[in-house]
Amino acid sequence: MSQEKLSEFVEATARKLGIPGVAVGVWADGQESYATHGVTSVDNPLPVDRDTLFHLGSVTKTFTATALMRLVAEGKVELDAPVRRYVPELQLADEQAAAHMTVLNLLNHTAGLGVRLVVETGDGDDALAGYVRRMVELDQIAPPGTRASYSQAGYNLVGRIIEKVTGLTYERAVAQSVLEPLGMSNTFYATDDIMTRRFAVGHNPDVDGKPTVARQWKDTRGNNPGGGIASSVSDQLRWARFHLGGGGTVLPAEVLHGMKKQTVELHGSTLGDAFGICWFLRDVDGVRTVGHGGSGNGQFSELLLVPERDFAVTVMSNAGPDGVAFNQSVVRWVLEHYLDVVDRDPEPVPHDPARAQELVGTYDIDAMTLTVRTDGTGLTLEVLIKPELRAASDKELPADYPPFDIGLLPGDADEYIVTSGAFKGQRGFFTRDESGAIVGADLAGRLFGRVQAAS
């Protein structure tokens, strides 16, 4: 596949979706290829290049997990050990959960923790310790080990384990154990490091749909382990090549590749068929892929590996909501044109009004509300940041999106797929209790508990 064709597709797709700036990197046949387009900011535009820093959001978790696995390889942490062995001060709303939760439960999102805490614990070196002290306020949605549910808070707790074991700040520990040995000189956490280099800012649509700069660049320091890293497309290919390779001085090969082995099965998720250690594992057209995505305030990232083909693609974009659609389109195009691997969405079944009515209602997590509605001919799903959080925040929060159309998928697993809008193709499922009543909705790996059925 020629560099020219990649660049043409990236530019055309970015223009079509109105994304100010994008960067794409591909590792194939032992060579790196790049395609960049657009600008870092509509207000202060600089051309995006392969060294431009983007906020990667949850792709950060792959760095946190790798740093933790280095401690495992060195015999300093045991995956099956209770978290309290390393963070004895941990207090949760559920004492049994706090006592029995293991390190592996955090790494593969089976700790039963809620998604996240919306708290500010400052920019000091005690930010992560402060975050963990506040985890007693976090919802416990299931006993540890009983189900997978994606948790930002869980990965922030992993970061605190790293701090306690190494005696370093989380950021210094990751730099020392992972970034510096790999020569990743364009990957940072601190805004003081980022602002002296070329970096992309996020954008959200204004009332007329035009991209405007998102003023909160990234989340708080207490959220760094779960989503605070910034990197360039060139450094992300270096990161991908490390995870495709033999581990070098950072990790023994068996530990590195063990991160890509299934630890818990997922169902009804666009993100994957299973979790390894951090990584989402997914079969696409008969080929196993390993990946992780990330999102921030108007910035989106995607990293996908195909180990059996020694292949990787990384994509970054700086506008919401269509950055998600851009990233997905590029990943699918690259898989098809480089590997002849086609990623197809499943087709929903015809609308069933009676079944739809059973799902209608309000569901929530700590920061967001999910509402399912029907007009008798179809279903819609709307996800909004809770208004009280917007009112209390002194920072600009990510924009809300219009409702999405959804359709139910074949079978009796209550799975659905988004059929319109920026998140088209996103999959999830509804959860029932022992009596058969709908009690939750999963979206992007997160369980929203039902708080109100249709009246």
Side-chain angles (χ1 to χ4, degrees), residues 14 130 147 176 265 298 378 424:
R147 61 158 293 153
Q176 184 174 294
E265 185 177 4
K424 184 178 179 181

Side-chain angles (χ1 to χ4, degrees), residues 58 61 106 109 111-119 131 135 137-142 147-157 219 222-223 225-227 271 295 364-370 383 386 389 441-449:
S58 287
K61 292 180 175 69
L106 298 178
H109 298 285
L113 294 170
V115 177
R116 61 174 294 155
L117 282 173
V118 183
V119 295
Y131 185 98
M135 286 183 67
E137 303 168 28
L138 186 70
D139 291 338
Q140 186 74 31
I141 62 173
R147 61 158 293 153
S149 186
Y150 191 85
S151 176
Q152 173 87 357
Y155 262 77
N156 292 336
L157 182 52
D219 214 330
N223 279 289
L271 302 173
S295 62
D364 80 353
I365 55 176
D366 51 0
M368 296 180 177
T369 299
L370 181 156
V383 182
K386 290 183 176 178
L389 292 180
D442 273 69
L443 177 67
R446 299 158 173 84
L447 173 63
F448 290 70

Side-chain angles (χ1 to χ4, degrees), residues 26-29 240 244 304-313 331 334-335 338-339:
V26 177
W27 170 253
D29 300 323
L244 289 169
L304 190 76
L305 318 177
V306 185
E308 67 188 68
R309 306 283 186 93
D310 189 32
F311 177 90
V313 54
V331 169
V334 166
L335 287 174
Y338 281 80
L339 301 183

Side-chain angles (χ1 to χ4, degrees), residues 108-110 148 259-283 288-292:
N108 68 3
H109 298 285
T110 59
M259 293 177 68
K260 305 180 190 72
K261 294 181 179 178
Q262 178 174 324
T263 61
V264 62
E265 185 177 4
L266 299 174
H267 81 274
S269 174
T270 313
L271 302 173
D273 306 312
F275 278 123
I277 290 179
C278 183
W279 293 110
F280 288 95
L281 313 178
R282 182 169 174 247
D283 287 332
R288 171 55 61 96
T289 67
V290 178
H292 212 293

Side-chain angles (χ1 to χ4, degrees), residues 8-269:
E8 287 175 353
F9 180 80
V10 167
E11 179 177 350
T13 306
R15 289 186 182 279
K16 175 184 176 182
L17 295 174
I19 313 296
V22 300
V24 177
V26 177
W27 170 253
D29 300 323
Q31 293 185 327
E32 295 181 354
S33 300
Y34 296 96
T36 60
H37 169 75
V39 296
T40 57
S41 166
V42 296
D43 286 353
N44 297 285
L46 292 172
V48 171
D49 60 25
R50 67 182 64 181
D51 294 320
T52 299
L53 301 177
F54 286 75
H55 175 218
L56 301 187
S58 287
V59 174
T60 307
K61 292 180 175 69
T62 66
F63 291 87
T64 303
T66 302
L68 191 284
M69 291 306 294
R70 179 160 185 174
L71 296 176
V72 171
E74 293 170 349
K76 298 175 180 177
V77 172
E78 294 181 15
L79 290 178
D80 292 331
V83 173
R84 274 187 173 165
R85 178 185 296 180
Y86 310 104
V87 188
E89 69 271 22
L90 176 66
Q91 297 291 325
L92 299 174
D94 185 326
E95 170 57 25
Q96 285 293 104
H100 294 99
M101 187 177 296
T102 68
V103 176
L104 180 58
N105 289 150
L106 298 178
L107 291 170
N108 68 3
H109 298 285
T110 59
L113 294 170
V115 177
R116 61 174 294 155
L117 282 173
V118 183
V119 295
E120 172 59 80
T121 57
D123 292 325
D125 288 350
D126 62 348
L128 200 48
Y131 185 98
V132 170
R133 282 195 298 270
R134 298 287 298 272
M135 286 183 67
V136 70
E137 303 168 28
L138 186 70
D139 291 338
Q140 186 74 31
I141 62 173
T146 59
R147 61 158 293 153
S149 186
Y150 191 85
S151 176
Q152 173 87 357
Y155 262 77
N156 292 336
L157 182 52
V158 173
R160 184 59 178 153
I161 294 173
I162 292 170
E163 287 191 333
K164 297 281 282 191
V165 172
T166 64
L168 303 170
T169 65
Y170 160 77
E171 298 87 357
R172 180 70 247 162
V174 173
Q176 184 174 294
S177 66
V178 177
L179 302 180
E180 292 168 4
L182 295 178
M184 296 185 68
S185 59
N186 213 23
T187 300
F188 308 98
Y189 289 94
T191 52
D192 284 351
D193 293 321
I194 294 161
M195 68 183 292
T196 60
R197 295 163 172 87
R198 183 170 302 195
F199 63 95
V201 303
H203 298 81
N204 291 310
D206 64 13
V207 293
D208 297 319
K210 295 180 180 179
T212 58
V213 170
R215 297 300 171 186
Q216 183 186 15
W217 196 77
K218 75 181 187 78
D219 214 330
T220 62
R221 186 173 178 183
N223 279 289
N224 270 353
I229 216 163
S231 188
S232 64
V233 71
S234 57
D235 253 21
Q236 282 302 283
L237 277 195
R238 184 182 293 267
W239 183 235
R241 291 175 63 182
F242 161 70
H243 274 280
L244 289 169
T249 60
V250 174
L251 280 182
E254 64 271 18
V255 176
L256 181 77
H257 297 303
M259 293 177 68
K260 305 180 190 72
K261 294 181 179 178
Q262 178 174 324
T263 61
V264 62
E265 185 177 4
L266 299 174
H267 81 274
S269 174

